[in-house]
């Protein structure tokens, strides 16, 4: 039996081949690197095609990825393996999964925008500046005068894995209203990407649903990373129901092994039959991330596994977001990846490298790699 819910049904079917959208150059400055699709990860291709600049503006104008959701401040301990109380100091870093993806795409040379809400405070202004510094369109960002920017303290275990403690009761991101949405920006997108944290409370939940409906009606591809954070939900049951309530409208879904176990109430995430329960009839691509072991991919026509890249993990914060940024930066340029397995595998190798590089530094946004860095490490791996 399929696990996805039918709570929110949107009319209209996504038509994947789309015409170019109009996105003014004044809102996004050209990045140093172009973002063509990866057609082959051979040494000759990495050297010969990866840095091509021809048609950069045309590509960027037609490949906008809008990321909807939360942006916050992560406080990451300077020493691994200690509890929050034992940590001697913390490093301040911008975070929030949708914002991480937006910055990640821009770092890779793509075109991205962020829609969300922060406090009208020093941290909120800092986050807005970080988006601008990273060439992310922030026209859809809103500031709340009555609520603070969200904070998250992150405990790093000795293996680099994390535990979270959040300060958001309520924080500004929870208070985004439908009337504050930039629907023109949403309809311009090639892809709208979002998570599930924005579904937890009103009014942000209604704003999230309205944004997704507007994008769906406009033929925008919907990308969903549940990004499970159980401490933020009232209960495990409400988290499972909330995450699955919008499952069937997404065209692309990325989940981790742990999230599969959670959503299927303890079933084996490595069992293909279990994974297929999460594949709804309208889904174009289901991605399962496995950390350093790489990822699995599922479409109606084919499925497989792409190996990961082994690195020494310092902090896994943002690794999944870097992976999502890597694949969406390629998909926004070439939607035929959804039908051509060879091209999809190459794009996923690139995405895996994005995630691997991110865990070698502390913090999410500070650690997101440039396209040049990713291609350099891929070149070394095939040499």
């Amino acid at each position: 039996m399929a696990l996805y819910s039918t709570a929110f049904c949107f009319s209209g079917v996504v038509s994947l081949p789309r015409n170019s959208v109009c996105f003014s150059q004044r809102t996004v400055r050209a990045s140093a690197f172009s973002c063509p699709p990866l057609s082959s990860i051979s040494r000759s291709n990495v050297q010969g095609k990866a840095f091509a600049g021809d048609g950069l503006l045309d590509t960027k104008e037609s490949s906008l990825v809008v990321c909807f959701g939360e942006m916050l401040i992560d406080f990451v301990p300077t020493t691994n393996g200690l509890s929050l109380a034992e940590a001697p100091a913390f490093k301040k870093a911008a975070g929030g999964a949708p914002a991480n993806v937006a910055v990640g795409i821009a770092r890779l040379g793509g075109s991205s925008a962020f829609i969300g809400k922060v406090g009208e405070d020093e941290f909120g202004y800092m986050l807005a500046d970080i988006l601008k510094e990273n060439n992310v369109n922030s026209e859809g960002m809103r500031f709340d005068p009555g609520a603070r920017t969200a904070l998250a303290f992150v405990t790093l275990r000795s293996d680099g894995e994390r535990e979270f403690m959040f300060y958001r009761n309520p924080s500004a991101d929870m208070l985004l209203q439908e009337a504050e949405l930039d629907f023109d920006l949403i309809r311009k997108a090639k892809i709208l990407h979002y998570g599930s944290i924005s579904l937890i409370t009103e009014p942000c939940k209604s704003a999230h649903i309205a944004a997704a409906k507007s994008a769906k009606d406009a033929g925008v591809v919907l990308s969903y990373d549940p990004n499970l954070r159980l401490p933020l939900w009232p209960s495990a049951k409400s988290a499972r129901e909330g995450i699955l309530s919008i499952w069937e409208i997404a065209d692309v879904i990325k989940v981790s092994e742990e999230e599969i176990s959670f959503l299927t109430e303890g079933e084996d995430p490595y069992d293909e039959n279990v994974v297929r329960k999460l594949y709804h009839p309208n889904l174009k691509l289901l991605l399962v991330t496995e950390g350093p072991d790489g990822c699995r991919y599922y479409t109606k026509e084919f499925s497989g596994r792409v190996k990961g890249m082994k690195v020494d993990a310092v902090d896994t914060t943002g690794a999944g977001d870097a992976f999502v940024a890597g694949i969406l930066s390629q998909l926004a340029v070439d939607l035929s990846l959804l039908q051509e397995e060879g091209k999809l595998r190459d794009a996923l190798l690139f995405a895996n490298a994005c995630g691997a590089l991110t865990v070698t530094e502390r913090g999410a946004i500070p650690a997101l790699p440039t396209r040049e860095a990713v291609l350099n490490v891929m070149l070394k791996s095939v040499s």
Side-chain angles (χ1 to χ4, degrees):
M1 179 181 293
L3 294 177
Y4 53 87
S5 169
T6 59
F8 302 114
C9 298
F10 297 159
S11 62
V13 178
V14 172
S15 176
L16 291 176
R18 302 182 70 240
N19 294 328
S20 296
V21 298
C22 180
F23 187 51
S24 62
Q25 291 172 243
R26 64 179 176 83
T27 57
V28 176
R29 300 190 299 274
S31 172
F33 304 104
S34 62
C35 191
L38 300 174
S39 57
S40 175
I41 309 299
S42 65
R43 167 175 279 270
S44 61
N45 179 265
V46 171
Q47 290 178 326
K49 291 186 179 179
F51 298 99
D54 295 341
L56 172 60
L57 292 179
D58 288 343
T59 298
K60 291 179 77 66
E61 287 177 353
S62 62
S63 60
L64 174 64
V65 180
V66 172
C67 300
F68 174 95
E70 69 279 1
M71 189 173 193
L72 48 86
I73 304 291
D74 286 328
F75 285 93
V76 184
T78 55
T79 304
N80 287 10
L82 299 176
S83 69
L84 289 176
E86 295 170 328
F90 295 86
K91 177 183 177 182
K92 180 183 72 214
N100 294 343
V101 173
V103 173
I105 289 169
R107 289 255 179 98
L108 295 170
S111 173
S112 65
F114 174 75
I115 291 179
K117 201 172 194 181
V118 294
E120 197 174 276
D121 52 37
E122 288 300 312
F123 283 145
Y125 297 135
M126 184 193 92
L127 294 175
D129 288 342
I130 287 172
L131 291 181
K132 292 174 185 176
E133 290 165 5
N134 284 278
N135 301 328
V136 176
N137 180 337
S138 59
E139 290 179 354
M141 194 172 195
R142 302 292 179 258
F143 296 83
D144 195 300
R148 297 297 190 189
T149 300
L151 308 179
F153 285 82
V154 186
T155 302
L156 294 179
R157 302 202 306 253
S158 56
D159 61 359
E161 287 298 325
R162 309 149 296 154
E163 295 174 355
F164 295 88
M165 184 167 69
F166 295 93
Y167 286 79
R168 56 195 305 267
N169 292 308
S171 53
D173 61 289
M174 302 163 68
L175 303 177
L176 181 68
Q177 300 182 45
E178 180 178 347
E180 297 176 300
L181 294 176
D182 187 336
F183 286 105
D184 288 339
L185 183 61
I186 291 169
R187 288 188 286 263
K188 287 178 182 177
K190 176 71 71 71
I191 298 171
L192 176 70
H193 175 73
Y194 48 81
S196 68
I197 291 175
S198 48
L199 294 170
I200 298 174
T201 57
E202 294 288 2
C204 191
K205 178 179 178 180
S206 291
H208 179 135
I209 294 168
K213 183 181 187 306
S214 175
K216 192 79 167 178
D217 290 345
V220 177
V221 175
L222 301 186
S223 167
Y224 184 26
D225 176 2
N227 191 37
L228 175 65
R229 294 290 181 265
L230 263 181
L232 295 179
W233 292 85
S235 66
K237 182 175 183 289
S238 65
R240 189 176 296 109
E241 291 175 350
I243 289 170
L244 292 174
S245 70
I246 61 167
W247 197 263
E248 71 165 11
I249 69 168
D251 300 292
V252 177
I253 296 176
K254 172 259 173 190
V255 288
S256 66
E257 304 157 274
E258 295 82 3
E259 287 165 341
I260 291 176
S261 293
F262 174 77
L263 293 173
T264 59
E265 300 190 60
E267 294 192 55
D268 183 3
Y270 297 99
D271 185 328
E272 297 295 290
N273 292 325
V274 171
V275 176
R276 282 291 179 182
K277 290 181 182 180
L278 296 173
Y279 198 99
H280 67 73
N282 298 317
L283 192 59
K284 308 296 188 298
L285 176 64
L286 176 64
L287 297 170
V288 180
T289 53
E290 301 178 343
D293 295 326
C295 65
R296 284 174 280 160
Y297 59 90
Y298 300 85
T299 74
K300 289 185 178 69
E301 289 77 28
F302 49 78
S303 62
R305 182 188 300 272
V306 176
K307 68 178 181 178
M309 185 175 294
K310 305 296 183 182
V311 295
D312 294 325
V314 173
D315 177 9
T316 59
T317 305
D321 302 328
F323 171 88
V324 172
I327 188 61
L328 293 187
S329 70
Q330 299 302 311
L331 190 58
V333 174
D334 185 5
L335 288 171
S336 72
L337 295 177
L338 297 171
Q339 288 85 37
E340 299 183 35
E341 186 173 9
K343 292 167 69 173
L344 176 62
R345 291 183 62 86
D346 286 343
L348 290 173
L349 275 173
F350 180 85
N352 284 343
C354 291
L357 281 176
T358 300
V359 307
T360 61
E361 297 183 32
R362 293 184 188 276
I365 286 178
L368 293 169
T370 64
R371 186 174 178 82
E372 182 180 34
V374 175
L375 292 171
N376 282 342
V377 75
M378 293 177 72
L379 183 61
K380 291 177 182 177
S381 71
V382 298
S383 62

